[in-house]
């Protein structure tokens, strides 16, 4: 008898959703605005010595014994608010140390007040891909906890893949197994199909997968509550308790499902806890018309008072609608769902009016649309079966008031410019091809209309694309796998740090601008950057390491727009690479509390820097993400735990004189970097 396959190695960059204060978890921007994530409870002896030496040096220059001296230091060195004078009290060493431990010396300049007076396509939106998954794309769980997690972390666009459910059944699993075994004619076909499934099981560790003719896993009888314990499925308002209800999962994989009803209930409860700005729910629909009727019923029930099911001006037809201003959609849920383009024969038909909430759905050829599969680039052996061509019912399509999805064919599709509410969703590969062949047209489109980018299907381990490439092309919704902690999510933290999940685009990227291309839309500068590393403390020791073999170092990356991006040429690596274009690293250390010896690394003559769309990322290798903080003047000190990515343009003069008075901190325990 063959020995059992060894368990698949753990992927340390993946993590199940954290429900204990997820707002302290980095990636969505909320942690940078949470005081608890920026404070330090104690200082190591090495760090305390470094702070004392710095205090003595500064005190000679500024005379901290006077309010005037403290105010001068805060203005010239820290660029902090004048009221911080009170935090330093009498200017003593203890007050100086307390100032840094409090987090008030944060490197991240608070984002400017959000100007919410622009149409909603003028903003970048913190967005999630396959939100329901807790791990990889093939064998992880689907959980409502994943929605709670990302919503509390500041996500403003979540995705739901919806499939037909099955009615409750009293048949046992043994009966189901017998019914499968009673089909000898399909035995050969089953073995062939099981070959790939078995390979998935061996690769990802899932045992006891369902038989191959099942298109998706069985329905879970109960759902976890906020504390991780089981709770009953939410009650149904429908008189029939035995009806099938839609479920949420990654189709044709080993992922387990959860109910659409439970997902909607979770969104209702957490949609506007961390932000009152609108939430976009992106639906990928694979259900029958009957199940779509139930979807509309459930969304209408659970999101009553929040769901945008009518235009702000109900007298307008869907073809006449203009995108609303952000300020007019506070605490509202927008549905992104396919809306079929009219056929030529329908061109003279009366425009659809949206004067009433969604009606009972019915089959309609004019509402047929083909859903784009996200499985491009998969090897033949690993491709999912083609997704069914769901016929989107009129009642469901009507809910796509301001975010109606249309199948992308070209940027010159007839009629699209006359439908301001359209959304194109493209995989990263398809979008890079458009960027390389129609850069000016792509930039023009994204100044006025919505576009969504999502990771290609080959990213089976839920890795992320490089979001800054797509933000620089004007893409508003760059969907990322929030369950994976990698460079993509670190950049997402930097983009949305301290915000409510919507960031106004640079002026040249807005619909009010006449700039024609990405190249001219925003000023580009040359950058000389010098960073001095002082000390670190409490670096988490990996399980496989001991004190003697533990040799950490810090790598600094600059994520800067490439020349090829500006010129519309093929981007090296197809835009897939998440590492920065410029990289330097410190010397290797030999301690969890290293004295970094004021080591200086320099980036000189960096070209093409745009303050608002350039990022600096710190990665501590060989252990958990912890870039140590506590720094002053032009120095970057390091301390655990915190996020190490931030936007270059958050302070004045950053291009001529890179000034980092204090490193950004975020509690972040997910992921390991190789």
């Amino acid at each position: 008898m063959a020995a059992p396959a060894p368990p698949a190695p753990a992927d340390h960059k993946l993590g199940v959703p954290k429900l204990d204060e997820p707002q302290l978890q980095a990636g969505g921007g909320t942690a940078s605005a949470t005081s608890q994530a920026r404070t330090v409870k104690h200082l190591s002896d090495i760090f305390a010595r470094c702070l004392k030496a710095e205090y003595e040096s500064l005190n000679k220059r500024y005379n901290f014994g006077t309010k005037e001296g403290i105010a001068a230091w805060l203005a010239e060195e820290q660029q902090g608010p004048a009221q911080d004078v009170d935090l330093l009290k009498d200017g003593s060493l203890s007050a100086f140390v307390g100032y840094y431990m409090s987090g008030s010396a944060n490197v991240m300049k608070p984002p400017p007040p959000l100007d919410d007076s622009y149409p909603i396509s003028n903003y970048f939106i913190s967005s999630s891909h396959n939100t329901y998954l807790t791990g990889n794309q093939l064998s992880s769980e689907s959980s409502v906890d994943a929605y709670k997690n990302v919503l509390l972390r500041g996500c403003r666009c979540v995705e739901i893949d919806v499939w037909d459910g099955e009615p409750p059944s009293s048949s046992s699993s043994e009966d189901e197994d017998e019914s499968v075994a009673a089909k000898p004619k399909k035995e050969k076909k089953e073995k062939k199909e099981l070959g790939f499934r078995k390979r998935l099981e061996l690769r990802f560790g899932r045992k006891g997968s369902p038989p191959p003719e099942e298109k998706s896993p069985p329905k879970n009888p109960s759902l976890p509550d906020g504390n991780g314990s089981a709770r009953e499925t939410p009650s149904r308002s429908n008189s029939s308790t035995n009806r099938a209800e839609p479920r949420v999962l990654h189709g044709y994989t080993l992922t387990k499902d959860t109910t659409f009803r439970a997902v909607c209930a979770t969104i209702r409860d957490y949609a506007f806890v961390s932000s009152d700005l609108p939430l976009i729910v992106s639906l990928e629909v694979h259900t029958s018309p009957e199940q779509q009727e139930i979807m509309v019923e459930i969304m209408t029930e659970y999101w009553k008072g929040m769901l945008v099911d009518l235009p702000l001006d109900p007298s307008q037809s869907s073809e006449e609608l203009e995108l609303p201003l952000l300020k007019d959609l506070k605490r509202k849920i927008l549905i992104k769902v396919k809306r079929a383009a009219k056929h030529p024969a329908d061109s003279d038909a009366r425009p659809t009016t949206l004067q009433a909430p969604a009606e009972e759905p019915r089959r309609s050829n004019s509402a047929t649309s083909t859903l784009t599969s996200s499985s491009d680039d998969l090897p033949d052996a690993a491709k999912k079966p083609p997704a069914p061509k769901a016929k989107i019912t009129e009642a469901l399509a009507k809910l796509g008031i301001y975010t109606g999805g249309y199948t992308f064919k070209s940027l010159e599709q007839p009629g699209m410019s006359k439908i301001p509410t359209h959304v194109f969703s493209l995989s990263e590969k398809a979008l890079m091809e458009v960027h390389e062949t129609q850069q000016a047209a792509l930039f023009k489109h994204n100044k006025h209309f919505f576009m969504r980018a999502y990771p290609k299907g080959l990213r089976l381990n839920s890795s992320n694309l490089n979001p800054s490439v797509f933000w620089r092309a004007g893409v508003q919704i760059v969907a990322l796998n929030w369950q994976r902690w990698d460079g993509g999510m670190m950049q997402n933290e930097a983009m949305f740090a301290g915000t409510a999940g919507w960031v106004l685009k640079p002026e040249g990227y807005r619909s009010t601008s006449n700039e024609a291309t990405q190249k001219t839309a925003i000023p580009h500068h040359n950058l000389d950057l010098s960073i001095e590393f002082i000390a670190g403390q409490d670096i988490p020791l990996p399980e496989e390491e001991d004190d003697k073999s533990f040799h950490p170092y810090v790598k600094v990356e600059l994520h800067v727009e490439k020349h090829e991006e500006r010129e519309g040429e093929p981007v090296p690596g197809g835009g897939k690479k998440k590492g920065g274009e410029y990289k330097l690293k410190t010397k290797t250390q030999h301690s969890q509390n290293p004295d970094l010896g004021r080591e200086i690394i320099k980036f000189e003559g960096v070209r093409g820097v745009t303050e608002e769309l350039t990022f600096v990322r710190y990665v501590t290798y060989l252990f958990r993400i912890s870039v140590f903080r506590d720094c002053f003047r032009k120095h970057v000190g390091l301390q655990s735990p915190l996020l190490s990515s931030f936007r270059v343009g958050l302070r004045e003069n950053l291009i001529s004189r890179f000034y980092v008075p204090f490193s950004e901190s975020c509690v972040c325990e997910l992921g390991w970097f190789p």
Side-chain angles (χ1 to χ4, degrees), residues 120-134:
I120 55 177
S121 62
N122 286 263
Y123 300 83
F124 296 121
I125 305 167
S126 187
S127 307
S128 169
H129 175 247
N130 288 346
T131 312
Y132 46 88
L133 291 181
T134 61

Side-chain angles (χ1 to χ4, degrees), residues 254-401:
L254 301 178
T255 57
K256 288 186 177 180
D257 66 346
T258 188
T259 67
F260 181 72
R261 179 180 291 272
V263 169
C264 290
T266 302
I267 291 175
R268 173 200 62 194
D269 295 341
Y270 296 99
F272 302 109
V273 173
S274 66
S275 172
D276 66 351
L277 296 181
L279 174 69
I280 299 174
V281 174
S282 179
L283 297 177
E284 185 170 325
V285 183
H286 303 273
T287 57
S288 64
E290 293 75 19
Q291 295 273 286
Q292 291 178 42
E293 174 187 350
I294 298 174
M295 289 174 61
V296 173
E297 172 196 316
I298 291 173
M299 289 187 289
T300 303
E301 173 189 351
Y302 280 88
W303 300 340
K304 184 176 181 180
M306 297 183 288
L307 180 64
V308 176
D309 54 3
L310 285 174
L312 299 182
D313 181 357
S315 66
Q316 290 184 318
S317 71
S318 59
E319 288 77 10
E320 297 171 337
L321 287 180
E322 296 290 336
L323 288 174
L325 308 182
L326 181 61
K327 64 182 179 182
D328 295 331
L329 292 173
K330 297 290 182 67
R331 301 187 67 83
K332 292 297 182 181
I333 295 177
L334 302 173
I335 302 297
K336 187 187 86 65
V337 66
K338 285 285 184 177
R339 298 193 65 174
K342 288 183 175 294
H343 298 290
D346 300 329
S347 58
D348 295 329
R350 183 179 179 181
T352 302
T353 57
L354 301 172
Q355 298 178 348
E359 303 172 352
E360 293 291 313
R362 62 178 184 273
R363 294 180 183 271
S364 172
N365 291 333
S366 64
T368 302
S369 66
T370 302
L371 297 178
T372 303
S373 171
S374 62
S375 63
D376 63 308
D377 293 332
L378 279 173
D380 292 339
K383 282 186 177 179
K384 298 183 295 184
K389 296 181 179 181
K391 295 183 177 180
I392 305 301
T393 62
E394 183 178 354
L396 182 56
K398 277 185 176 181
L399 293 181
I401 306 291

Side-chain angles (χ1 to χ4, degrees), residues 122-267:
N122 286 263
Y123 300 83
F124 296 121
I125 305 167
S126 187
S127 307
S128 169
H129 175 247
N130 288 346
T131 312
Y132 46 88
L133 291 181
T134 61
N136 66 68
Q137 309 287 308
L138 290 178
S139 64
S140 64
E141 307 289 330
S142 297
S143 172
V144 296
D145 291 341
Y147 289 90
K148 175 182 176 180
N149 176 277
V150 303
L151 289 171
L152 291 179
R153 290 164 66 191
C155 184
R156 293 290 85 197
C157 180
V158 298
E159 183 181 17
I160 311 178
D161 285 15
V162 194
W163 297 76
D164 283 341
E166 299 174 355
S169 173
S170 60
S171 62
S172 66
S173 58
E174 289 80 8
D175 293 337
E176 293 174 0
D177 291 340
E178 290 176 2
S179 66
V180 173
K183 301 177 181 179
K185 293 183 179 180
K186 294 185 178 180
E187 184 177 1
K188 183 177 293 186
K189 179 180 179 181
E190 290 175 1
K191 287 183 178 179
K192 182 178 179 181
E193 293 184 0
L194 275 173
F196 175 57
R197 301 183 69 86
K198 282 296 183 183
R199 289 197 295 274
L200 296 184
E201 292 171 15
L202 293 176
R203 170 65 178 84
F204 292 95
R206 172 61 58 80
K207 302 297 181 184
S209 59
E213 64 268 27
E214 290 184 2
K215 294 184 178 180
S216 49
K219 186 175 181 179
N220 289 334
S222 61
L223 299 162
D225 62 17
N227 298 319
S229 59
R231 63 177 172 83
E232 295 182 358
T233 302
S235 60
R236 300 183 175 95
S237 60
N238 191 287
S239 58
S240 173
T241 59
N242 291 322
R243 70 175 182 179
E245 288 204 348
R247 54 185 179 164
V248 178
L249 75 156
H250 203 44
Y252 303 118
T253 66
L254 301 178
T255 57
K256 288 186 177 180
D257 66 346
T258 188
T259 67
F260 181 72
R261 179 180 291 272
V263 169
C264 290
T266 302
I267 291 175

